[in-house]
């Protein structure tokens, strides 16, 4: 809870997952607006880590980037 605002405001942190009480989740979302950080919160709900699987979880855990390299004859 104490690190939420610090990590959300920090420019060298690219993303943040917050599984905590609803007010802590809301604080992380509000504090990260200034640096456009990606924040995924549980909105106050608990998360069962052994069963936390699926497409949504995987999509938030992995970032895919495409690099287009133009080439010609």
């Amino acid at each position: 809870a104490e690190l939420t605002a610090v990590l959300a405001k920090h420019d060298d942190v690219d993303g943040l997952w917050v599984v905590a009480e609803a007010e802590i989740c809301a604080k992380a979302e509000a504090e990260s607006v200034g640096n456009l950080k990606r924040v995924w919160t549980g909105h106050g709900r608990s998360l069962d880590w052994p069963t936390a699987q699926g497409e949504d979880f995987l999509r938030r855990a992995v970032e895919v980037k495409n690099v287009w390299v133009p080439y010609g004859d």
Side-chain angles (χ1 to χ4, degrees), residues 18-47:
V18 181
V19 180
E21 293 84 27
E23 63 245 8
I24 296 172
C25 294
K27 184 176 184 177
E29 290 173 336
E31 296 290 344
S32 65
V33 171
N35 55 16
L36 301 176
K37 183 185 301 346
R38 292 183 182 179
V39 178
W40 188 33
T41 66
H43 300 291
R45 295 183 308 263
S46 63
L47 183 64

Side-chain angles (χ1 to χ4, degrees), residues 4-15 31-32 35 37:
T4 301
V6 175
L7 291 173
K9 290 179 186 178
H10 203 290
D11 289 335
D12 290 333
V13 176
D14 294 329
E31 296 290 344
S32 65
N35 55 16
K37 183 185 301 346

Side-chain angles (χ1 to χ4, degrees), residues 59-71:
R59 238 182 298 122
R60 299 205 184 252
V62 178
E63 182 177 352
V64 178
K65 293 184 178 182
N66 290 328
V67 178
W68 294 92
V69 181
Y71 65 94

